[in-house]
Amino acid sequence: MSRQITEKEKGKIKISVRNLVEFILREGDIDNRRGRGYSPEAMQEGSRIHRKIQRSMGPCYHAEVPLSIAIDEGDYVLVVEGRADGICIEDTEGLQEITHADNFNHIEITDSMRVTIDEIKGVYMNLDMLDAPVGVHLAQAKCYAYIYALQHALCTIDVQMTYCNLDTEERKYFRESCPFDELSEWFGRVILEYKKWADFQFAWRELRQASIKKLQFPYAYRKGQKELAAGVYRTICRGKNLFIQAPTGAGKTISTVFPAVKAVGEGLADKIFYLTAKTVTGTVAREAFELLRKEGCQAKVIQITAKEKLCKCEETDCNPVYCPYAKGHYDRVNDAVFSLLQKEDIFTREVLLEQAEEYRVCPFELCLDVATWVDDIICDYNYVFDPNVYLKRFFAEGVKGDYIFLVDEAHNLVERSREMYSASIYKEDFLAVKKLIRQYDAKLAADFDKCNRILLDYKRECERYVIYENIGTLVFALMRLASRLDEFLQKRPEFPEQKEVTEFYLNLRNFMNIHELVDERYVIYAEHTTEQGAARGGRERFRLKLYCVDPSHNLQERLDRGNATIFFSATLLPIQYYKNLLSTKRDNYAVYAETAFSEEQRLLLFARDVSSRYTRRNRTEYARIADYVGAVAGGKKGNYMIFFPSYKMMEEVCEVFLEKYGDAFACAVQQSGMREEQREEFLALFSAEASAGREESLIAFCVLGGIFGEGIDLKNEQLIGAVIVGTGLPQVGNEREILQNYYEARLGQGFDYAYRYPGMNKVLQAAGRVIRTTEDVGVIALLDERFLQSDYRGLFPREWEQREICTVDTAGELVKRFWER
């Protein structure tokens, strides 16, 4: 006998006020001529201004008021929620003062009280150019007004839009009075238009959850794999972070994806972000999700492709004049998205391009919109962490989402996040753009001059590099310049030099925004640099950089938007180093996964009579390295990679090797700045077909930490050996010195954090190219006597316990015996 579902048991579909109005009410063109930096709203950068305005509004003003409304849609409840920037309650007859101290939720609104919903927007534009509030901004305020008026039985409620220029802090107000009947009718139309989307979301979620309940692990568990998957699931249940050292062969991708999907099925999250550093790892992740779909899991999956790879135009110039897909994009895109959701579950680049062509919309923006409705998003780190690129539809408001973050190849996130949260300006750029501007605006050119003079003073006092505690004078001048330049671009959307000026402006805005983040985890420094490349001709430039030395705080702020995070990599050693740099939490979990590979699959050689130290780099040492390569590759015909700490050393050793062994081996050499087709040609040399056509072994000379040092998957006979020359220490430079000094002062581990740990990671990655499957067999030789020191031995993975120490005279015999065995 069936029973009626109670209100409490009904499923909920949630959407924020901002996302609702921006989604339903958007219209018109994509137009980058206004750019990100001088778009009407600067949400992230405006948080400081929000707080300042809120504090100045008097005792009747209540800031950051949470509001929500639950609308019964039959099978489910639609919850619209958000935070009103401010609600001002004044007693017009002066009988009662409503202050911050009152219990806001229990204020009884009387006929003598005037209620105003205040929506604050921080903007960069000149407020004189703003004649009326932006439509979606006003719509947000009206949503809050409707919810509050409904819940307090108000016949009328006021709405105020407060705009504040982020540079000058000048304010402009727009105020109107809204009868409740009109608000109710307007809000009803918005909800009615959204209903089909909520219906789809609810129906799909029901289907997805039911399918996950029955889902089983798709393989027989390898050794340790079930425990790893269980550890991931427990971490998600507890809402924690987990760091996994997962050696090749641990099955880390499916062992993290499967428990995350099961956690979604148990209602512990609603969406999975699988974050990668490279396209190839994203492809592996997509295959894992597709495998679970074949096992019965109903899930929609998208792999976000970079704009440049999706754009249908020769240049990514996103405005209605240049791009036909930008014109009227927002008028058509919702129909394109809804149609696509009905007919596809896996959203590949090809699927998105075909749909974009049919509806004449931007394929990249279509991709991002589809991501809103899918269950599993595979994307680059940037789309979650980068302050310029992150997906604002998921993370802009600071509201915690029901997300699980799976961070693959997490060792890459350290340097990537330092780049994301750092920013630079160059003195020479100010001069160059000033020359472009002065013909149009002499006063603006004078602002460029002022900034240039301050940078010139910095330059004069800089020999190698200078660290600054404070750059307040420059920042004030930059703020003035940015404000004037913003106004200039607003008034002159098209002129011949627009592209160069806009690029400068956006970089300047990024510098100012990053400056807002500067704290004790940053180092501000200036240096002389030499920029390489044909376009620049090796010219000298003077740079001022906001360097994010410790990115953990910025990363944690984004991780806090989700429920749990799983960091995993085959080279996450030492794990405490990564725990310190990728998260501020002190209760993070860590686990060392077991590999399915046996130690008998490889020969691990450590040379004790050779080094890559600068003081030892000479022809004699290069000849010994060449002999080691000959000994390793002479044991069995096959393909070998030889990794070096720099292009220069690689080329010099290669020259010696060719003199001694050129006739005995086929050789290939990695080139600097290889294009995609050149990389593919290089890797094609390792294919079974290419190997069968050669009588001799292939020796491929490569660079540690380069494009062939990680992320490539050469299985079986494609690669049977790797020789790693040196400990991979990063090149000595100003930033490495700054890193070393910073971590020496704080942890007493300056050399480790700046050099040893990053270098050893490159070594471990290169060594991991050899054994990729349980059938693979190969030789790994580490050529540097420093590997025998205790400081390095302590960084070896557990799988390296069985190893041989050799000399150039004994290496060949050890290799021969290994292959015979």
Side-chain angles (χ1 to χ4, degrees), residues 57-117:
M57 295 300 281
C60 299
Y61 191 91
H62 304 262
E64 300 298 326
V65 180
L67 293 172
S68 68
I69 183 172
I71 304 164
D72 190 342
E73 295 289 1
D75 292 332
Y76 62 91
V77 175
L78 175 61
V79 178
V80 182
E81 58 189 358
R83 283 180 178 271
D85 290 329
I87 299 181
C88 185
I89 304 176
E90 303 166 286
D91 191 329
T92 56
E93 296 180 4
L95 301 176
Q96 183 180 358
E97 186 175 292
I98 312 300
T99 69
H100 296 298
D102 294 304
N103 187 335
F104 185 78
N105 292 325
H106 293 90
I107 294 173
E108 185 179 346
I109 306 299
T110 65
D111 292 340
S112 66
M113 292 179 183
R114 181 182 185 182
V115 179
T116 303
I117 302 295

Side-chain angles (χ1 to χ4, degrees), residues 43 50 54 61-65 83-87 117-121 140 144 162:
M43 187 76 186
H50 272 63
Q54 288 164 341
Y61 191 91
H62 304 262
E64 300 298 326
V65 180
R83 283 180 178 271
D85 290 329
I87 299 181
I117 302 295
D118 188 29
E119 185 69 20
I120 303 169
K121 299 297 179 186
Q140 277 183 259
Y144 293 129
T162 301

Side-chain angles (χ1 to χ4, degrees), residues 715-816:
K715 298 175 181 176
N716 303 317
E717 294 293 315
Q718 287 184 291
L719 185 69
I720 64 168
V723 177
I724 299 160
V725 180
T727 55
L729 299 183
Q731 188 174 354
V732 174
N734 295 338
E735 279 195 359
R736 287 293 137 185
E737 188 173 310
I738 289 168
L739 274 177
Q740 183 171 358
N741 294 338
Y742 180 93
Y743 282 105
E744 188 63 34
R746 282 157 181 78
L747 301 174
Q749 292 181 275
F751 184 78
D752 288 341
Y753 272 62
Y755 292 100
R756 183 178 285 118
Y757 296 162
M760 194 61 196
N761 189 276
K762 290 188 283 187
V763 170
L764 294 172
Q765 279 292 327
R769 297 313 95 207
V770 180
I771 308 298
R772 308 298 298 173
T773 73
T774 52
E775 290 78 38
D776 289 359
V777 181
V779 178
I780 301 167
L782 278 71
L783 306 189
D784 200 301
E785 58 198 26
R786 285 174 288 181
F787 285 121
L788 302 177
Q789 298 171 3
S790 60
D791 286 338
Y792 281 96
R793 291 201 312 273
L795 303 178
F796 293 169
R798 293 175 187 173
E799 308 83 63
W800 282 17
E801 286 184 11
Q802 188 174 307
R803 52 186 181 264
E804 297 277 359
I805 298 172
C806 67
T807 66
V808 71
D809 296 324
T810 62
E813 184 60 29
L814 289 168
V815 171
K816 183 181 177 183

Side-chain angles (χ1 to χ4, degrees), residues 660-716:
K660 299 188 73 172
Y661 299 97
D663 295 336
F665 300 100
C667 292
V669 181
Q670 178 182 340
Q671 302 298 318
S672 177
M674 293 174 84
R675 297 187 303 275
E676 192 168 340
E677 60 268 25
Q678 291 174 312
R679 297 179 197 179
E680 290 173 1
E681 288 171 8
F682 190 88
L683 291 174
L685 297 172
F686 296 84
S687 68
E689 295 79 9
S691 299
R694 282 191 298 266
E695 294 182 3
E696 62 281 307
S697 291
L698 171 68
I699 310 298
F701 290 82
C702 304
V703 175
L704 266 176
I707 52 176
F708 304 118
E710 67 172 284
I712 61 169
D713 205 20
L714 300 174
K715 298 175 181 176
N716 303 317

Side-chain angles (χ1 to χ4, degrees), residues 611-618 622 645-646 648-649 729-732 786:
S611 177
S612 67
R613 291 179 189 273
Y614 286 103
T615 54
R616 297 264 294 270
R617 293 188 184 182
N618 53 55
Y622 294 164
S646 68
K648 187 173 187 296
M649 187 178 183
L729 299 183
Q731 188 174 354
V732 174
R786 285 174 288 181

Side-chain angles (χ1 to χ4, degrees), residues 153-330:
L154 303 182
C155 296
T156 303
I157 188 168
D158 288 359
V159 168
Q160 176 174 283
M161 288 303 310
T162 301
Y163 287 95
C164 182
N165 185 288
L166 291 168
D167 293 320
T168 64
E169 299 192 9
E170 176 192 356
R171 301 181 198 175
K172 189 168 189 175
Y173 302 94
F174 298 93
R175 190 182 184 111
E176 62 181 80
S177 186
C178 301
F180 176 75
D181 290 345
E182 292 180 11
L183 277 178
S184 179
E185 183 182 347
W186 172 83
F187 187 79
R189 289 198 303 271
V190 172
I191 293 300
L192 184 62
E193 198 163 339
Y194 185 71
K195 186 177 185 304
K196 74 172 184 179
W197 297 89
D199 287 347
F200 159 76
Q201 198 174 352
F202 175 75
W204 179 259
R205 185 182 296 172
E206 292 287 292
L207 182 66
R208 180 193 71 189
Q209 299 302 84
S211 73
I212 294 175
K213 295 280 186 187
K214 300 178 285 186
L215 188 64
Q216 299 294 317
F217 196 74
Y219 304 117
Y221 283 108
R222 298 177 185 174
K223 181 183 177 184
Q225 199 171 27
K226 189 172 185 178
E227 291 76 11
L228 177 58
V232 171
Y233 186 83
R234 281 195 299 270
T235 301
I236 296 169
C237 284
R238 297 168 185 172
K240 300 289 186 179
N241 299 332
L242 173 63
F243 288 78
I244 305 173
Q245 163 63 18
T248 306
K252 59 186 173 65
T253 305
I254 195 65
S255 298
T256 51
V257 167
F258 175 74
V261 169
K262 291 296 283 185
V264 168
E266 294 299 323
L268 299 172
D270 191 53
K271 199 178 293 285
I272 298 169
F273 285 86
Y274 193 105
L275 310 178
T276 73
K278 293 182 172 66
T279 304
V280 64
T281 45
T283 303
V284 172
R286 193 184 74 220
E287 289 169 355
F289 283 112
E290 288 177 347
L291 175 63
L292 295 183
R293 279 185 47 78
K294 289 175 183 174
E295 297 292 316
C297 176
Q298 294 292 316
K300 292 185 181 290
V301 183
I302 193 167
Q303 185 172 0
I304 296 180
T305 305
K307 180 186 284 190
E308 292 73 20
K309 292 184 179 180
L310 277 176
C311 184
K312 287 173 166 284
C313 301
E314 289 184 12
E315 277 188 60
T316 52
D317 197 359
C318 309
N319 64 70
V321 174
Y322 180 80
C323 175
Y325 302 94
K327 187 169 182 60
H329 165 89
Y330 292 116

